[in-house]
Amino acid sequence: MSWNTFGRFFRFTTWGESHGPALGVVVDGCPPGIALGEEDIQPFMDARRPGQSKYTTQRREADEVRILSGVFEGRTTGTPISLMIENTDQRSKDYSEVAKAYRPGHADYTYDAKYGFRDYRGGGRSSARETAARVAAGAIARKVIPEVTLTAFVEQIGEVAIDHARFDREAIARNPFFCPDPETVPRWEELVDGARKDGSSLGALVAARAEGVPAGWGAPVYAKLDSELAAAMMTINATKGVEIGDGFAAVTNTGESNADPMRPAEDGGVSFGANHAGGIAGGISTGQPVTCRVAFKPTSSILTPVDTITSEGEATQIRTKGRHDPCVGIRGVPVVEAMMALVLADQKLLHRAQCG
Ligand SMILES: Cc1cc2nc3c(=O)[nH]c(=O)nc-3n(C[C@H](O)[C@H](O)[C@H](O)COP(=O)(O)O)c2cc1C
């Protein structure tokens, strides 16, 4: 299986499966001399970790990260950084029905169609356990872009959206939904718990924002900052849509209402009157916050019976038991943030290589 590598200058390759002994990532191209220890990575692992509330999967993993190479006396050496995370709470017997029949919406059928063979335990390589490795790589990427502040949060679950007028950045870390609107939290508690009890699942919209990106990152034509971001987000499991800035809402804007008016700033730079473009024009950052939104579909593994076929092509129904996230978008938040960091670190190095 190839295509497990992402990035151009700051490149990472993830490895491992859901129920293997461990998974990990090799980060190549990280500049030398950056202070790095496991303690810099662990807080981000802890934010993504499963089993922290009844609103996510009950698989319990410590997700302790170990640095195996590329760091000497607390600083990156410029050589490949290898990180490993052990899998400790596998329960392969939960997946006996998935071994025989395909979960509609999951990767079971397509992996068999492509490879003729699959590790069905926990979804194998298609499991979002893989995203733990990206979050670890993302923590290193953040060290390459200290000028950037990243914020990601859940904006909507099912039909229930936050009220942006009540946006409180500090609130995001204080609830199990990464919700910036404290008044929406109890509504989501009821909604997600209801879906869990019904053996169903829910979709979610995750928003992310990068402040401090200077003008000039990104490259025309085939490494546009927006195309790299969209590609990065679409690699996340269960992602079905990505918007940059106003995204699809721009369709109903006019040229006037969609403009981001420019004025000379007091410091001699530029001051923008709006940010419909999401901080990117012509594939290059404008200096405004870079914004995107990611649509996550509802979890495919549900307890409600769904029509499917067996690997022999017989009609059957599947009820997926085992431990699953009732709304995968919630735990998608740290993954979205990590992918944004990884793209921005790569683009910073790409810009430096060409323009100094
Ligand atoms: C953080 C996270 C957790 C996930 N947890 C589950 C899960 O518990 N059960 C499940 O069926 N899918 C889960 N998924 C989604 C599947 O991994 C994904 O649907 C599957 O690999 C098929 O890929 P696709 O949906 O991108 O086409 C999760 C996704 C993310 C981002």
Side-chain angles (χ1 to χ4, degrees):
M1 187 188 283
S2 55
W3 307 110
N4 294 288
T5 301
F6 192 88
R8 295 165 192 264
F9 274 46
F10 191 96
R11 288 167 75 82
F12 67 95
T13 304
T14 68
W15 54 268
E17 286 86 27
S18 175
H19 287 206
L23 53 88
V25 58
V26 178
V27 175
D28 203 0
C30 181
I34 295 179
L36 184 71
E38 279 137 3
E39 67 285 0
D40 294 314
I41 305 172
Q42 199 57 50
F44 300 104
M45 305 304 293
D46 293 345
R48 195 214 70 99
R49 201 153 52 84
Q52 301 193 79
S53 79
K54 65 178 174 179
Y55 309 109
T56 61
T57 169
Q58 292 307 296
R59 180 169 172 169
R60 288 183 198 275
E61 293 285 354
D63 277 356
E64 266 173 34
V65 72
R66 276 178 63 202
I67 300 176
L68 303 183
S69 69
V71 177
F72 181 63
E73 294 182 341
R75 297 196 315 150
T76 57
T77 55
T79 60
I81 304 170
S82 190
L83 306 176
M84 189 177 82
I85 302 135
E86 275 183 56
N87 288 323
T88 56
D89 188 22
Q90 308 96 317
R91 268 196 223 157
S92 300
K93 67 171 172 33
D94 284 351
Y95 289 88
S96 50
E97 73 272 69
V98 175
K100 294 184 226 119
Y102 301 125
R103 284 169 293 177
H106 215 291
D108 309 327
Y109 168 68
T110 48
Y111 270 48
D112 254 1
K114 185 174 179 65
Y115 302 105
F117 181 62
R118 76 193 147 101
D119 177 353
Y120 55 80
R121 302 163 309 159
R125 182 71 180 155
S126 71
S127 162
R129 273 300 286 155
E130 185 271 349
T131 61
R134 303 161 185 239
V135 169
I140 303 177
R142 286 166 194 265
K143 290 251 163 177
V144 178
I145 48 165
E147 63 275 58
V148 175
T149 304
L150 294 165
T151 310
F153 56 91
V154 178
E155 195 170 287
Q156 185 171 337
I157 296 181
E159 301 277 336
V160 182
I162 61 161
D163 182 343
H164 279 275
R166 296 193 291 253
F167 186 94
D168 174 1
R169 190 177 189 277
E170 303 305 313
I172 297 170
R174 287 201 301 258
N175 65 78
F177 300 100
F178 300 101
C179 177
D181 169 11
E183 288 186 37
T184 298
V185 172
R187 296 182 66 198
W188 285 355
E189 280 172 353
E190 199 180 329
L191 187 67
V192 179
D193 204 31
R196 188 180 63 82
K197 285 181 181 148
D198 292 346
S200 185
S201 63
L202 293 158
L205 185 63
V206 172
R209 176 183 179 91
E211 281 157 290
V213 177
W217 292 4
V221 173
Y222 297 115
K224 288 185 173 176
L225 183 52
D226 34 9
S227 67
E228 297 285 296
L229 273 175
M233 298 308 167
M234 287 303 289
T235 69
I236 303 174
N237 314 41
T239 296
K240 281 296 177 191
V242 182
E243 291 187 327
I244 307 290
D246 281 7
F248 286 93
V251 175
T252 54
N253 289 350
T254 60
E256 295 81 357
S257 65
N258 195 59
D260 296 332
M262 298 168 80
R263 286 181 211 90
E266 280 174 14
D267 65 3
V270 54
S271 157
F272 288 90
N275 188 15
H276 300 287
I280 304 172
I284 298 171
S285 56
T286 61
Q288 292 215 77
V290 173
T291 63
C292 75
R293 294 153 104 213
V294 184
F296 285 89
K297 71 183 189 185
T299 322
S300 308
S301 303
I302 48 173
L303 272 169
T304 319
V306 186
D307 286 346
T308 189
I309 57 165
T310 65
S311 40
E312 277 77 44
E314 303 287 327
T316 186
Q317 285 203 319
I318 190 161
R319 287 178 72 233
T320 313
K321 298 184 211 106
R323 299 162 297 173
H324 295 279
D325 283 279
C327 173
V328 300
I330 299 169
R331 286 180 54 239
V333 171
V335 188
V336 166
E337 229 181 74
M339 290 310 285
M340 205 166 195
L342 287 156
V343 168
L344 291 171
D346 196 28
Q347 292 291 334
K348 177 179 176 176
L349 299 185
L350 203 62
H351 176 63
R352 201 161 76 183
Q354 188 185 17
C355 302

